[in-house]
Amino acid sequence: MDRRELEARSWIEAVHGDALPSDDLHECLRDGVLLCNMLNKIRPGTVKKINKSKIPFMQMENINWYLQGVRTLGILQEFEMFMTVDLYEAKNLGQVITHLHALGRSVQKLADYDGPILGVKMADKNPRKFSEEQLQAGKFIPSFISKGSYGGATASGSIDTSRNIIKGAPLSAAQEARRASNASPGP
């Protein structure tokens, strides 16, 4: 079990309030019941009906209802979702883990949720408002691009003092010999 799977597992247990019944995360999530219950803890009433049946179609329906419920929260992008077969048939468990991390991070956006999160705190918006005077003054401040780079760069670019290299200088005898030996064809 890798680190990301362990983190996702710990977050699910923290949200759900109970330890998972098996060490195999796929086995725990495969019927969709745990996911639906977890989503209802994040936002009560999101998943209205949860099938307890062992019939594969009903279990896949649970996963589908979970995914629809996550979409109604409006906090994840479509690329952060997974498909039902990714989980049910274990076709792409990496995407399922990625989805759980995205959900665990994004629940911070929900105003009515104050439970555990997964990952770092998301940044808050911090819009800047500049006056017209400040915007005009900023046009005349030189950018770092026009200040040159470390090493005494000049407009001509002829001298690089960072390594005592003089561009365009003739090669020494040792450098000529090295160049000649590298240029000769091999056996």
Side-chain angles (χ1 to χ4, degrees):
M1 198 176 320
D2 71 342
R3 177 187 56 84
R4 289 179 42 83
E5 185 175 338
L6 285 171
E7 290 171 349
R9 180 186 182 88
S10 297
W11 178 70
I12 292 169
E13 290 175 340
V15 171
H16 195 266
D18 292 323
L20 297 182
S22 168
D23 287 340
D24 184 6
L25 186 61
H26 171 249
E27 191 59 39
C28 294
L29 302 179
R30 186 172 187 253
D31 63 3
V33 172
L34 187 68
L35 290 172
C36 291
N37 287 332
M38 180 185 72
L39 193 56
N40 280 337
K41 294 224 179 198
I42 292 171
R43 176 156 298 155
T46 304
V47 179
K48 307 276 189 251
K49 180 183 175 191
I50 303 171
N51 295 313
K52 305 288 185 193
S53 174
K54 298 292 180 195
I55 299 172
F57 174 78
M58 298 294 214
Q59 293 177 343
M60 287 188 279
E61 194 172 60
N62 284 342
I63 297 169
N64 193 41
W65 283 335
Y66 163 79
L67 292 170
Q68 287 177 1
V70 170
R71 284 184 180 97
T72 64
L73 295 178
I75 57 175
L76 292 183
Q77 299 290 321
E78 195 59 34
F79 69 86
E80 295 172 308
M81 302 297 286
F82 64 90
M83 296 184 354
T84 303
V85 296
D86 291 341
L87 174 58
Y88 191 78
E89 296 177 8
K91 294 281 186 187
N92 192 353
L93 292 177
Q95 182 61 30
V96 175
I97 300 297
T98 299
H99 163 82
L100 292 169
H101 275 261
L103 180 62
R105 176 193 71 241
S106 299
V107 292
Q108 300 172 56
K109 296 178 188 175
L110 300 174
D112 57 345
Y113 180 75
D114 63 351
I117 61 169
L118 177 58
V120 297
K121 180 184 182 302
M122 294 182 72
D124 297 324
K125 283 186 179 180
N126 190 6
R128 306 291 205 271
K129 297 195 182 208
F130 296 103
S131 69
E132 189 61 34
E133 182 180 317
Q134 289 171 316
L135 291 172
Q136 290 302 319
K139 290 181 180 179
F140 303 106
I141 297 174
S143 69
F144 285 108
I145 294 172
S146 64
K147 290 187 177 184
S149 64
Y150 178 75
T154 64
S156 67
S158 61
I159 298 175
D160 180 359
T161 60
S162 64
R163 293 188 225 148
N164 294 326
I165 297 172
I166 299 174
K167 296 179 182 172
L171 296 176
S172 68
Q175 290 171 327
E176 284 289 346
R178 202 172 321 129
R179 176 185 267 179
S181 69
N182 288 337
S184 63

